[in-house]
Amino acid sequence: MWWFFRIISSSVFLLTIILSIPISFDVGGRDSGLAYSLSLFCFYFLYSAAKLATPENSRIRWTLTQFLQIFQWILIPGLLIWSLHNFAVDANSTDWVSRTIGGLGSHKHTTWSDWFFGNGGLIESVTLGGWDKTLRYSSPVFQLAEGFCTLLVIQAAGQISRWLVNRGRSDTWVLILLILSASIIASAVYFLWRIALFPSISNVDATLIGVTVTSAVFLCAIGIGTGRGNPVESSLLFAYVVLCVYQIFTDYVQSPEAQAAAAEQAASQPEFPPLPPIIMASYSTLLHLFSLLPSAVYSSLGFLYAAFQTIAPSVMTSLVYRLIVFYCATRIIPAIRESGARALMQEPSLDDSDEANRLLGFLSWFSPSILIAVYTSLLLQHFSTSNSEEGWTLRHGDAGGNVWRWINVAATMGLYAVELYLGNDDADGGLVSHWKTD
């Protein structure tokens, strides 16, 4: 039963982090968001280090972890209020750009301690500036780590498919896996067709896309033809390549031309109900039931909607994808390889015979801090200032980093090519010998 409460607690924690960090940026500005994310990063880094440094079955560890788990629900809103109070841009003062350019010279400090420790002092500027630079220069690392973790997941999925086929009822599993692989490839081809229709594609971009897709198809064909790969691996690799290319050329929002065309098409259509009358009647009844709810529920839903509106769609998509592949690479794959499915509910261990599993287990201990750093880095890529009344936004900035995304695609396919070259034709070798059933 405790696993259910752990899932609920982790979900609430993830939702709190996803909503609170963009709120600090959107309400208080860049300094406020950086201060809040840095304070969260330090807290969860110390929390993970304390858990790692204490013995597993000691009372000190149990007491410390229980206290910090309860205290975090008070600390998170407290840190948000603290960052907004101390680092937010005052509406009556200069705008965020002027404050940033002014630097230390724009503050009139009367004492040495105020210049060193005060608001806008040396410690604040160095700390927030260092955190900003660290996140900015860590973006390529996070991008390459995404490709590496994706490759681990692809290889594990291929080994699982081999194990399912070899354990019995092979014809059934072969048919299911072929249908699954064909569906993945068809979806990837559809998004590839969408990419071809983008108006921003230049001749150089088209050449890069052609070379990348051709190389991916060539690798997939070699893997299936030589028996060192399988359709599941090939379809997932091709889908990831298309995903990376799609993220390079779009921000998951419609262009102004597409929005104008959609508005014109909607205006020219007659006003018919979008659904059959029986469904529309049920929908109206459901809306009436919602209208009977207390006003606090509407306020909560409105707050959640406004909070999610501050996040760019590409940020949410990249965050969800990186969370999935990071969790699979650090918890699911090593756990099932060693102990079966029951190990998913256990804490990661550093006592592992495999060096790769030991490294992934070590990183999983600091997963909350890594999540905060990755998420803040994604938000900073879309943070931009303007001369409007808002002053800044998290939705219209230039994400950049396209060069590193192309490098990530090339590195992922290169590592997969090396794996195919160094692999063997034995379908029961490698990872398969480690899979266990419960």
Side-chain angles (χ1 to χ4, degrees):
M1 189 63 181
W2 286 107
W3 63 269
F4 178 75
F5 292 102
R6 289 183 60 184
I7 294 176
I8 296 297
S9 177
S10 300
S11 302
V12 173
F13 160 76
L14 184 60
L15 181 64
T16 304
I17 296 300
I18 289 176
L19 294 181
S20 61
I21 294 181
I23 287 176
S24 64
F25 277 100
D26 188 66
V27 176
R30 191 184 188 95
D31 287 353
S32 178
L34 288 173
Y36 177 62
S37 64
L38 178 59
S39 58
L40 285 180
F41 177 85
C42 293
F43 170 73
Y44 284 105
F45 183 85
L46 295 176
Y47 171 63
S48 302
K51 288 181 61 177
L52 191 60
T54 53
E56 183 176 357
N57 298 322
S58 65
R59 294 183 178 180
I60 298 177
R61 177 178 180 177
W62 183 87
T63 305
L64 180 63
T65 55
Q66 294 299 319
F67 171 76
L68 292 179
Q69 287 177 0
I70 298 175
F71 182 66
Q72 69 177 345
W73 304 114
I74 304 175
L75 183 68
I76 291 177
L79 289 176
L80 179 60
I81 296 173
W82 167 78
S83 62
L84 292 176
H85 175 72
N86 292 279
F87 300 95
V89 177
D90 190 358
N92 297 324
S93 64
T94 57
D95 59 292
W96 182 87
V97 181
S98 301
R99 181 186 176 193
T100 304
I101 295 176
L104 294 175
S106 61
H107 299 85
K108 296 181 180 179
H109 303 288
T110 57
T111 62
W112 179 87
S113 60
D114 189 22
W115 179 84
F116 197 79
F117 298 103
N119 186 17
L122 181 63
I123 295 297
E124 175 185 329
S125 300
V126 171
T127 304
L128 296 183
W131 179 239
D132 187 11
K133 294 292 185 182
T134 301
L135 293 176
R136 184 180 305 175
Y137 292 122
S138 297
S139 297
V141 178
F142 295 148
Q143 189 72 47
L144 295 176
E146 172 195 309
F148 179 73
C149 293
T150 300
L151 188 58
L152 291 178
V153 174
I154 290 174
Q155 291 177 343
Q159 299 291 350
I160 293 175
S161 64
R162 289 195 184 105
W163 178 75
L164 290 174
V165 170
N166 293 332
R167 67 174 299 192
R169 297 182 179 179
S170 58
D171 294 338
T172 303
W173 280 113
V174 166
L175 182 61
I176 293 175
L177 293 175
L178 284 177
I179 294 175
L180 177 62
S181 301
S183 303
I184 295 174
I185 294 176
S187 302
V189 170
Y190 167 75
F191 284 100
L192 192 62
W193 172 76
R194 290 282 305 272
I195 295 172
L197 299 180
F198 289 163
S200 60
I201 302 295
S202 62
N203 294 332
V204 177
D205 296 332
T207 303
L208 290 174
I209 293 174
V211 171
T212 302
V213 174
T214 304
S215 301
V217 173
F218 183 69
L219 281 177
C220 296
I222 289 180
I224 296 176
T226 59
R228 299 177 180 179
N230 54 47
V232 174
E233 288 185 7
S234 301
S235 61
L236 291 177
L237 178 66
F238 182 75
Y240 178 67
V241 170
V242 174
L243 173 64
C244 292
V245 175
Y246 194 83
Q247 288 178 336
I248 291 174
F249 296 102
T250 184
D251 201 23
Y252 298 95
V253 293
Q254 288 184 325
S255 62
E257 296 82 3
Q259 293 178 358
E264 182 180 356
Q265 182 179 4
S268 62
Q269 290 181 351
E271 295 184 357
F272 291 115
L275 296 173
I278 186 173
I279 299 180
M280 292 302 298
S282 302
Y283 176 71
S284 302
T285 304
L286 186 62
L287 289 181
H288 177 70
L289 293 178
F290 279 134
S291 65
L292 301 178
L293 295 175
S295 59
V297 177
Y298 284 101
S299 300
S300 302
L301 295 177
F303 171 76
L304 291 176
Y305 176 77
F308 276 110
Q309 284 298 107
T310 62
I311 309 173
S314 60
V315 172
M316 185 58 63
T317 305
S318 300
L319 177 67
V320 171
Y321 180 78
R322 290 183 180 182
L323 283 178
I324 292 174
V325 296
F326 178 76
Y327 185 80
C328 291
T330 57
R331 295 297 300 270
I332 295 180
I333 297 174
I336 298 181
R337 281 184 61 184
E338 293 298 326
S339 305
R342 292 197 191 103
L344 293 177
M345 305 311 301
Q346 301 175 0
E347 293 289 342
S349 175
L350 299 181
D351 299 331
D352 200 303
S353 58
D354 194 343
E355 294 293 337
N357 285 355
R358 189 178 304 165
L359 175 61
L360 294 175
F362 177 79
L363 292 177
S364 65
W365 280 96
F366 297 93
S367 56
S369 301
I370 297 175
L371 163 65
I372 294 170
V374 171
Y375 189 33
T376 308
S377 176
L378 289 173
L379 290 174
L380 286 176
Q381 294 177 11
H382 293 265
F383 187 93
S384 63
T385 58
S386 61
N387 295 325
S388 61
E389 295 180 356
E390 296 180 353
W392 57 82
T393 180
L394 284 171
R395 296 179 63 89
H396 303 297
D398 184 13
N402 290 337
V403 175
W404 284 104
R405 290 178 179 177
W406 283 117
I407 294 176
N408 173 47
V409 174
T412 303
M413 291 193 297
L415 288 176
Y416 186 73
V418 172
E419 176 68 20
L420 292 179
Y421 177 75
L422 299 178
N424 52 57
D425 300 331
D426 185 10
D428 296 328
L431 294 175
V432 178
S433 60
H434 294 278
W435 296 111
K436 298 181 179 180
T437 57
D438 294 327

